[in-house]
Amino acid sequence: MKAVAYQKAGAIRLDNALVDIEIDSPIAHGHDLLVRVQAVSVNPVDTKIRNNKSAEDQQWKILGWDAVGVVEAIGEHVTQFKIGDHVWYAGALNRQGSNSELQLVDERIVGHKPKSLDASEAAALPLTAITAWEMLFDRLQVPRAAAENTSILVIGGAGGVGSITIQLLKQLTNLTVITTASRPETSEWVKQLGADYVLDHRQALAPQIQQLGLNAPLYVFSTTQTDQHLADIAELIAAQGHFGLIDDPEQLDIKLFKSKSVSVHWEFMFTRSMYQTEDMIQQGQLLNQVASLVDEGKIKTTVSQVLSPINAENLKRVHQQIESGTTKGKIVLHGF
């Protein structure tokens, strides 16, 4: 089968950063589905791993943690899917990724693809939807019906996670949604997704909230550049508030939150699959709920660009764009 992979970690500019290869097809066992991949999208985690983690023992490492495809074979313990089902998922960090024609994935972290989206449209959503959902409802425990004038600040609203977070908040809660963007096109994007207020994250955030006359946000979700905004977040968040983050700041001094008794939450969507937690199946159930919201017209795809085919040349282009920090929504690749 065709795949895109690498052996040695390094910068995307290197010739061997990502290469086209041919390898044997995997075989499904246990709870595994063997999926013929139709479309994938690229996330910051792809670039971080490519930069920092080499393949083991001269083997190939295949990236990719978003996919849509068709079930081609099933393991002996599979109960939720059958051959021919159209599925979507974000995979597991400790297994080979989706940048290959065929991929093995545990059925417990797989959902049925939304019927109303094609493969490219659907591939933009799984990883970001899981990340946003788990942060909002598992980590921060955002209520579906909060007290009047309760607000949440989403830092980095135009990115992949921010784009779906805004939509989930508007459809499933009554919170006032404040988000950040820095360019006219990204500001317009988050407004279209449902943001009530948009701040410029190139400027101090606390004064902007005060100028708008808003209550201090009870919740803050930082999707990017947390280290640059941490002091500002500590200033603007409400006392006894809840702060969550998903990026990897070199330092995180949570003592800034002590006087306000703010709780701090980290979301890593691979935790359930990595540790085979008892509630691992919740990711599959979560994806089915998101699919229903999509098919009801309440959530829309966050894809902003589609490239074809899925090959090393196109994946390198996308990695470069993600590393530039200018991506709006999600970039998808379709077909081998």
Side-chain angles (χ1 to χ4, degrees), residues 21-272:
I21 62 171
E22 288 272 354
I23 56 175
D24 293 337
S25 300
I27 299 173
H29 295 289
H31 285 283
D32 281 341
L33 309 178
L34 180 65
V35 178
R36 182 164 293 278
V37 175
Q38 297 174 317
V40 302
S41 68
V42 183
N43 294 280
V45 64
D46 298 63
T47 67
K48 292 175 184 176
I49 292 176
R50 190 212 70 246
N51 269 310
N52 298 293
K53 186 175 178 59
S54 296
E56 296 179 0
D57 301 324
Q58 300 301 308
Q59 298 298 308
W60 292 103
K61 187 164 187 62
I62 301 172
L63 302 173
W65 288 279
D66 260 330
V68 169
V70 179
V71 177
E72 190 154 297
I74 61 175
E76 62 273 18
H77 299 314
V78 170
T79 61
Q80 305 297 312
F81 299 90
K82 64 183 184 300
I83 293 172
D85 282 349
H86 290 255
V87 295
W88 66 342
Y89 54 89
L93 200 63
N94 51 4
R95 304 190 73 174
Q96 293 285 37
S98 58
N99 295 338
S100 59
E101 287 187 287
L102 293 164
Q103 181 187 13
L104 291 176
V105 60
D106 191 301
E107 66 165 338
R108 291 169 290 184
I109 57 173
V110 176
H112 292 275
K113 182 187 80 70
K115 296 180 175 63
S116 58
L117 297 183
D118 64 27
S120 295
E121 294 169 327
L125 292 174
L127 183 145
T128 55
I130 295 169
T131 300
W133 189 293
E134 289 185 347
M135 174 59 84
L136 294 177
F137 305 118
D138 294 346
R139 313 295 174 234
L140 296 176
Q141 297 189 352
V142 169
R144 303 300 177 97
E148 188 177 357
N149 296 323
T150 302
S151 63
I152 181 171
L153 170 63
V154 181
I155 297 174
V161 174
S163 294
I164 189 66
T165 298
I166 294 169
Q167 295 186 75
L168 290 173
L169 285 165
K170 296 306 291 185
Q171 293 300 325
L172 300 178
T173 80
N174 64 342
L175 269 64
T176 298
V177 179
I178 311 164
T179 190
T180 74
S182 61
R183 293 174 286 142
E185 59 268 32
T186 52
S187 294
E188 183 59 31
W189 170 261
V190 296
K191 290 175 183 176
Q192 292 174 4
L193 295 174
D196 297 300
Y197 300 94
V198 183
L199 311 181
D200 183 350
H201 52 232
R202 295 172 301 184
Q203 309 294 328
L205 300 176
Q208 294 181 69
I209 288 178
Q210 293 172 358
Q211 289 169 8
L212 289 170
L214 300 174
N215 291 341
L218 186 61
Y219 305 94
V220 176
F221 178 13
S222 179
T223 71
T224 185
Q225 298 181 331
T226 298
D227 49 352
Q228 297 182 25
H229 301 294
L230 194 65
D232 217 7
I233 294 167
E235 179 182 350
L236 65 85
I237 196 169
Q240 301 185 101
H242 308 272
F243 168 58
L245 71 157
I246 58 172
D247 60 335
D248 302 292
E250 291 187 7
Q251 294 183 340
L252 188 71
D253 184 8
I254 63 173
K255 289 186 293 184
L256 295 170
F257 297 112
K258 181 177 181 180
S259 67
K260 289 185 175 179
S261 298
V262 169
S263 59
V264 178
H265 308 263
W266 222 309
E267 160 61 18
F268 187 56
M269 66 134 286
F270 297 111
T271 297
R272 284 179 162 131

Side-chain angles (χ1 to χ4, degrees), residues 288-318:
N288 286 333
Q289 292 180 72
V290 174
S292 295
L293 290 170
V294 171
D295 288 338
E296 292 167 6
K298 296 178 179 179
I299 296 290
K300 66 180 183 179
T301 180
T302 56
V303 61
S304 60
Q305 184 179 358
V306 179
L307 302 178
S308 184
I310 303 168
N311 61 18
E313 179 183 359
N314 281 332
L315 279 165
K316 289 177 78 170
R317 288 173 56 191
V318 180

